[in-house]
Structure formats: C-alpha cells, structure tokens
Amino acid sequence: MRRGERRGHGGALGKAALEEQPPPQPPQPNGGAPAAAADRPPPPGAERDSPGLRRSTESEVYDDGTNTFFWRAHTLTVLFILTCALGYVTLLEETPQDTAYNTKRGIVASILVFLCFGVTQAKDGPFSRPHPAYWRFWLCVSVVYELFLIFILFQTVQDGRQFMKYIDPHLGVPLPERDYGGNCLIYDPGNETDPFHNIWDKLDGFVPAHFFGWYLKTLMIRDWWMCMIISVMFEFLEYSLEHQLPNFSECWWDHWIMDVILCNGLGIYCGMKTLSWLSLKTYKWQGLWNIPTYKGKMKRIVFQFTPYSWVKFEWKPASSLRRWLAVCGIIFVFLLAELNTFYLKFVLWMPPEHYLVLLRLVFFVNVGGVAMREIYDFMDDPKFHKKLGQQAWLVAAITATEFLIVVKYDPYTLTLSLPFYITQCWTLGIILVLTWTAWRFFIRDITLRYKEIRRQKQEHKYEKDKCLSNGDGHSSILDEQNGNKLRERKL
C-alpha cells in the first residue's frame, strides 16, 4: 500500500502516525465511509504517489499497512497499571517518616504520572520510528525540563545552587574550570621524554564527543554549509569569550585542526554520507510476520530504528528575506544552545563530566531532530503548517530560559567587556551581513525592477519606430492600441 492511500485509512494510533507526514487528502465523494479500497494494493503501474501529496524532496514510501500489537493504542492498559501502582503505595506501603525523602519521591511520582499521560495522549510529531510513543516521551520531558528551569530561574543565586544538592549531594560547590591553553607547542623540545605531550594532553573524552556530536547535528540540519558555518562561528565565539570562561582558552591548533578539521569536519563528512544513503534508500515496509525468512525478520527489526521515510532539506537562504532571516535565527539559536552548555555548568557549579551535563546533551540530541523538521516544515510549507511545531516551540523556550538563568546567576561574567580587537571584528562582520542583506533583498530587487521597466520601454519604443517607418506612417498595431484607448475612455 502506498503512503498516500495509507493516510486515508481510518486507523487509530497505529502506524498511521508516520514519520514524514504528507498533507491530508480531501474527503471521498461518498463521505469517506468505505475504506476497503484503501486497503487493497495499488494497481499495476501505480508505483508513484500523486505529485500533490508528496514534495519533490520527499522520498516514496510503500507500506503493506500491517497494524500489530506494537502499534496499537494502550491507553487503558497504561491507566490500569498506573492506578495499581498508586493503589499499592497508598494501601500496602508504609509511608516513611522522612520529609525530604517523601518530597523527592512525591515529585518523581508526579513527573512519572505526567509522562504516562503524555506518552499515551500527547499529539504525535513528524517522526514515528522506532515508535511514536518514543517521541511523545521526549516531548513531555521537554515540558518537565522547561518547568524545572523556570523554577531555578525564580530562586536566588545561592538557593538555586544549593538546590542542586537535592539532585546530587556533591553539587553546590564551586569548581575550577580547566584551562586548555598554556603551552601550545605541538613539538616541545624541552620535554625529552615525550615532545608531543601537549597533543596527548588534549586527547580526552571530549574528542569523540565532538565527533559524534557533529555527526548527529549534521543529521538534524541536513546541510553541509550550515553545519560548517555553525562549526566555524563557534570557534570564533570561543576566541571572543575566552576572557569570560577559562576553558574557552585553547591553542590555535586545538581550535582549527583538532576541532574544526578533524572532530567537527570528520563528523560532518560522515553525517553527509549517511544523509546520502538515507536519501537513496528504498522505503518499503512489511509487517514482521509477513516476512518469511529469519534473516529478513532480523533486518526488519534493525530497520525499525531507521526513519520511516526521508525528506531532503533545501534551506535556500538567499531565495527570500523570510528564509534568510529564518536560517540566521536557526544558526543563532544553535550557537546560543552551545554556549549555554558551558555557561550553565559554570554558574550552577557542575563539573564537565557530571551526568547531568551528559543527560542534557542526550536530551538535545533527541529533541533537536524533531525541532529542526518542524522548523523546516513551517518554512517550506507555511500554507499547510500554519504554526510552529510543539517541539520546536519548546526547544526555543528552553534555550531562552537557560540563557536567562545564566544572565541572572552571573551577570558580572557576562558583562566583562570584550577586547577592542574582538569588538572590531564582530562589528565588521555584522556590518557585512547587514550590507549583504540590504543589497540582496532590497537594492538588488529595486535595480532589477528598474532594468526590467527600462527594457520594456525600449521594446515599446522600438515597436513604435518600426511601425512609423512603414510607407503610410501607421500600422495595425497602432490602430488597435488607439482603438483600445478610445473604448476605455467611453467606458
């Protein structure tokens, strides 16, 4: 069954929640009651979806429509299990006489109940693999995280930092930041034991983190130019802000060779290769029990963790002012989220290797892809997607709230003045961007419009001279034009 036909099927919460959802089809002439025609395989030769149902950058998907227990809604089952768990705690378990412990457990239980509600009842997003409930779970986690950030924002600086002790007793203590600068010699002749010790010292756990991070970011953004711009601009931000955070101070070869070229560049390259494979992959799905061989079943299980279909992102920032501003906004939010990673652990006194820092990165990996897809749909098809997606809205709110926490908790660090040469560089860059924007979307359009009007006037003058060069001094073209003018005057 083709994807367009399967969208017309009246299933509840099964595999109808597709990852790459096309626009809804118009109702059937008979009211849409009989769905048997939509359940039959397509006729021979009908191997492509209708152009009106699928964008040019969207891959074709074929699905047999199998709706197993894995894809059915389990709202009553979840409600029954949740009620039984709460009943056990209420009737059979003795409540400890520990206020702090009961407070923690009550907060955790409240969050779990909200997650159960969200996983079963929240609206589906654009992704459905490995299961729509997985992405609903991360949507609810986004809400919980945003509420936690707002709570931290409304505390005093001292109370907010000490509150982190309720999560981990080892937090709430100021920690020194590691300085990655210092001796920047690639080959240190003064160290006879190991002249390359500076390189080995920089090869810590953050090197594979850089690689995998940019590999996943490439899968989110799906554009080589945008990834490279964000990668290079973040290194410039580290140069600009190293007077505020000590761990931004790195050697030149650490910035440009290890980060931009090796870690980030290799991650972006591998990500683009994966994108190429995903765009060429055949998306033909069968139910697990409809596959005869065990090898095919195992392959189908593995492919369950790959996208249901694929959409190639074509950002086209120079095509219109709206898209240009949107792409600039995406780059700005990406860079702000990257900076929040360093500033948050600085103001909340969290060591870089703490599990909360890692959990935040895992969180953004899961919600970032959904947010980017929703932003692209909002940009690319505003007539169908009339409002920003729910996950994209939450990611933007989370990024802004994190930044506000940093502003409130350590305004002194943020207000440290930039060095004069850094200010000059950023001023020059902003002027160049604004100048190009004005030329591309205003001056250039006015110039092209003026040239078009001038060309039309020249063509009209040429036609008039050609007509007057005839023997009688006039032509049928001029007569027709004069006749039209007389009719207009009479009307």
Side-chain angles (χ1 to χ4, degrees):
M1 183 182 301
R2 291 182 299 169
R3 187 230 311 237
E5 295 170 337
R6 194 167 159 271
R7 283 282 296 176
H9 185 61
L13 269 178
K15 290 166 73 176
L18 303 182
E19 177 167 350
E20 311 290 352
Q21 297 176 355
Q25 296 188 32
Q28 300 293 332
N30 57 359
D39 292 333
R40 291 196 296 266
E47 298 179 353
R48 295 189 64 85
D49 293 331
S50 173
L53 300 177
R54 180 168 53 87
R55 288 176 288 187
S56 61
T57 57
E58 188 174 354
S59 63
E60 294 182 80
V61 179
Y62 303 93
D63 198 311
D64 61 3
T66 303
N67 193 12
T68 61
F69 177 83
F70 180 72
W71 291 102
R72 293 172 192 152
H74 303 287
T75 53
L76 293 178
T77 304
V78 173
L79 179 61
F80 176 76
I81 295 174
L82 182 62
T83 305
C84 290
L86 295 177
Y88 172 81
V89 173
T90 304
L91 303 175
L92 301 178
E93 188 177 83
E94 183 178 356
T95 304
Q97 301 299 319
D98 188 345
T99 304
Y101 174 77
N102 291 336
T103 302
K104 290 180 182 179
R105 194 168 69 153
I107 294 175
V108 172
S110 302
I111 293 174
L112 290 178
V113 171
F114 172 73
L115 293 179
C116 290
F117 167 78
V119 166
T120 55
Q121 301 293 341
K123 187 177 72 172
D124 287 337
F127 293 169
S128 67
R129 294 299 170 90
H131 196 279
Y134 177 81
W135 303 107
R136 294 197 292 266
F137 168 79
W138 284 108
L139 175 67
C140 298
V141 171
S142 304
V143 176
V144 174
Y145 182 51
E146 172 65 7
L147 295 178
F148 168 75
L149 291 174
I150 292 175
F151 176 81
I152 294 293
L153 181 64
F154 277 79
Q155 308 306 307
T156 64
V157 176
Q158 183 65 21
D159 290 344
R161 288 168 175 168
Q162 296 305 314
F163 177 80
M164 303 302 293
K165 286 187 174 182
Y166 289 99
I167 302 175
D168 186 350
H170 297 93
L171 295 177
V173 179
L175 297 173
E177 289 285 341
R178 180 180 175 184
D179 187 358
Y180 284 79
N183 188 359
C184 291
L185 294 175
I186 299 178
Y187 181 84
D188 188 2
N191 192 324
E192 299 179 355
T193 305
D194 187 4
F196 296 97
H197 67 95
N198 287 329
I199 296 179
W200 313 133
D201 291 341
K202 303 300 186 294
L203 297 177
D204 50 17
F206 292 99
V207 172
H210 272 280
F211 169 78
F212 286 109
W214 273 103
Y215 173 77
L216 296 173
K217 290 172 190 174
T218 306
L219 298 184
M220 296 179 197
I221 300 174
R222 308 185 191 181
D223 184 82
W224 184 84
W225 278 106
M226 283 184 64
C227 289
M228 289 303 301
I229 289 173
I230 295 174
S231 175
V232 173
M233 283 194 67
F234 185 74
E235 299 302 323
F236 279 115
L237 284 174
E238 285 190 328
Y239 269 122
S240 305
L241 301 173
E242 62 182 14
H243 67 289
Q244 295 183 1
L245 295 186
N247 63 341
F248 279 164
S249 177
E250 298 177 351
C251 298
W252 66 268
W253 47 268
D254 197 358
H255 278 293
W256 304 110
I257 298 179
M258 293 188 64
D259 285 352
V260 174
I261 297 178
L262 294 181
C263 298
N264 302 357
L266 188 60
I268 294 173
Y269 173 80
C270 295
M272 294 303 298
K273 287 297 181 182
T274 305
L275 292 176
S276 177
W277 175 75
L278 289 171
S279 62
L280 298 175
K281 178 180 176 293
T282 302
Y283 293 91
K284 187 174 183 180
W285 303 102
Q286 287 181 280
L288 187 64
W289 308 114
N290 297 335
I291 302 175
T293 63
Y294 287 104
K295 182 179 179 181
K297 292 179 185 293
M298 295 301 297
K299 185 178 179 181
R300 175 64 180 82
I301 292 174
V302 173
F303 279 1
Q304 182 67 27
F305 296 90
T306 62
Y308 180 83
S309 66
W310 194 251
V311 171
K312 181 182 178 182
F313 287 0
E314 294 182 351
W315 295 103
K316 300 177 181 178
S319 60
S320 66
L321 180 62
R322 179 176 181 270
R323 296 183 75 97
W324 167 250
L325 295 177
V327 170
C328 291
I330 292 171
I331 294 174
F332 174 79
V333 173
F334 246 94
L335 294 173
L336 184 60
E338 293 276 0
L339 291 176
N340 287 342
T341 305
F342 296 90
Y343 280 93
L344 270 180
K345 62 185 179 67
F346 178 78
V347 300
L348 294 178
W349 295 348
M350 288 188 295
E353 63 276 3
H354 196 271
Y355 71 90
L356 288 179
V357 179
L358 178 62
L359 286 179
R360 180 185 174 276
L361 296 178
V362 173
F363 163 77
F364 270 101
V365 164
N366 283 276
V367 303
V370 183
M372 290 301 296
R373 174 61 197 276
E374 291 177 346
I375 292 172
Y376 181 78
D377 287 339
F378 183 66
M379 288 175 49
D380 194 58
D381 193 4
K383 293 183 179 179
F384 181 70
H385 302 275
K386 297 184 179 181
K387 62 179 182 179
L388 187 64
Q390 51 192 1
Q391 189 66 79
W393 190 94
L394 279 170
V395 169
I398 287 170
T399 305
T401 309
E402 287 180 340
F403 178 71
L404 292 176
I405 291 175
V406 174
V407 172
K408 178 178 179 178
Y409 276 53
D410 197 353
Y412 173 76
T413 299
L414 287 181
T415 53
L416 289 175
S417 59
L418 297 174
F420 181 68
Y421 68 95
I422 295 293
T423 305
Q424 285 181 316
C425 292
W426 280 105
T427 303
L428 177 62
I430 293 173
I431 291 175
L432 290 176
V433 172
L434 293 177
T435 303
W436 185 88
T437 303
W439 173 83
R440 178 62 179 82
F441 300 107
F442 298 98
I443 301 175
R444 179 176 175 269
D445 290 346
I446 295 174
T447 305
L448 292 177
R449 196 178 300 115
Y450 171 76
K451 290 182 177 179
E452 179 65 20
I453 294 174
R454 186 177 179 183
R455 184 185 63 82
Q456 292 177 358
K457 289 183 177 179
Q458 290 178 348
E459 290 181 354
H460 179 70
K461 183 179 179 181
Y462 172 75
E463 291 292 337
K464 185 177 181 180
D465 293 342
K466 184 178 180 181
C467 294
L468 293 176
S469 63
N470 294 334
D472 54 359
H474 67 276
S475 67
S476 60
I477 297 176
L478 290 177
D479 291 341
E480 183 179 355
Q481 292 177 352
N482 293 331
N484 292 335
K485 290 181 180 179
L486 290 174
R487 279 194 228 79
E488 291 177 358
R489 291 175 182 174
K490 291 179 179 180
L491 292 174

